[in-house]
């Protein structure tokens, strides 16, 4: 039997009596190194049971992140700073007009299943896009959320959301990047 990503269970129910997840929305641009430091501190506190889980929505100045599966030849033009945060995935662009969601959930208390977590994040994005009348879709052969682009030709699609995560002590770090209205020329690097 071959398991496809479409067959994964969706959802991460909180443990009984768990406090609500905190949501934080930052205005303006947040420096990447500052965000990484804050995320590491919060994730460690979540793992120790000293802080609530957190979903943090923000935007960064233009930069690239290199995931653990990235290869140097994939970055064509490094015109923005390149960071290597230790999360999964390949190269990802972050910048103005893109909403980044850093998700710090305790999977040990929810469901210790990383594949289920990734599929659930994809589903969150798909459902949020649907509320905006945008049809997002997942693919069995790759992680992220995609939109069909018939205006560009049959079977044309664009990636609207990237997902790159790291898990430490069963607490998730990093998360997703949703393209809302970024400068598309920045993706050419």
């Amino acid at each position: 039997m071959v398991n496809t990503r479409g067959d994964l269970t969706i959802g991460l129910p909180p443990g009984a009596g768990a406090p609500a997840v905190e949501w934080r929305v930052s205005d303006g641009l947040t420096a990447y190194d500052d965000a990484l430091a804050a995320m590491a501190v919060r994730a460690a506190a979540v793992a120790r049971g000293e802080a609530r889980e957190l979903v943090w929505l923000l935007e960064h100045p233009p930069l690239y992140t290199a995931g653990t599966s990235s290869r140097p030849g994939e970055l064509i033009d490094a015109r923005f700073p390149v960071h290597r945060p230790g999360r999964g995935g390949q190269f990802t662009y972050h910048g103005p007009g893109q909403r980044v969601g850093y998700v710090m959930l305790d999977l040990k208390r929810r469901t210790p299943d990383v594949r289920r977590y990734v599929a659930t994040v994809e589903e969150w994005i798909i459902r949020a896009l649907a509320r905006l009348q945008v049809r997002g879709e997942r693919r069995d052969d790759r992680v992220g959320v995609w939109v069909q682009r018939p205006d560009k030709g049959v079977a044309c699609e664009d990636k609207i959301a990237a997902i790159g995560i790291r898990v430490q002590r069963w607490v998730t770090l990093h998360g997703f990047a949703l393209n809302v209205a970024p400068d598309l020329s920045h993706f050419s690097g």
Side-chain angles (χ1 to χ4, degrees), residues 24-91:
R24 180 182 305 161
V25 179
S26 294
D27 293 326
L29 300 179
T30 302
Y32 190 73
D33 290 335
D34 293 346
L36 284 185
M39 182 173 32
V41 168
R42 181 60 172 256
V46 169
R48 292 189 306 269
E50 296 171 359
R52 290 174 30 203
E53 297 170 307
L54 173 67
V55 176
W56 183 15
L57 302 176
L58 55 89
E59 289 183 63
H60 288 302
L63 60 97
Y64 298 110
T65 60
T68 56
S69 299
S70 64
R71 294 183 299 256
E74 295 170 337
L75 190 58
I76 300 165
D77 177 15
R79 59 187 162 175
F80 304 120
V82 178
H83 299 267
R84 299 186 185 285
R87 58 127 178 101
Q90 298 174 325
F91 279 100

Side-chain angles (χ1 to χ4, degrees), residues 89-182:
Q90 298 174 325
F91 279 100
T92 301
Y93 165 78
H94 294 303
Q98 181 187 73
R99 184 56 78 172
V100 174
Y102 290 131
V103 183
M104 291 149 268
L105 297 181
D106 188 340
L107 296 184
K108 188 173 184 181
R109 294 183 191 141
R110 289 175 173 271
T111 303
D113 183 335
V114 175
R115 291 172 44 112
R116 181 174 178 167
Y117 168 70
V118 170
T120 299
V121 172
E122 288 172 332
E123 187 65 20
W124 292 346
I125 295 166
I126 289 167
R127 290 180 184 185
L129 290 171
R131 293 187 65 146
L132 300 169
Q133 312 305 313
V134 175
R135 183 178 172 178
E137 302 171 344
R138 74 173 41 86
R139 299 288 180 259
D140 278 344
D141 60 339
R142 52 207 149 137
V143 173
V145 177
W146 306 82
V147 291
Q148 294 291 320
R149 293 297 304 271
D151 57 309
K152 290 184 170 182
V154 178
C156 234
E157 63 184 8
D158 284 332
K159 190 173 193 177
I160 194 167
I163 298 173
I165 66 161
R166 183 175 185 178
V167 179
Q168 289 183 319
R169 297 174 59 198
W170 285 108
V171 175
T172 62
L173 294 103
H174 302 279
F176 63 88
L178 176 64
N179 297 320
V180 178

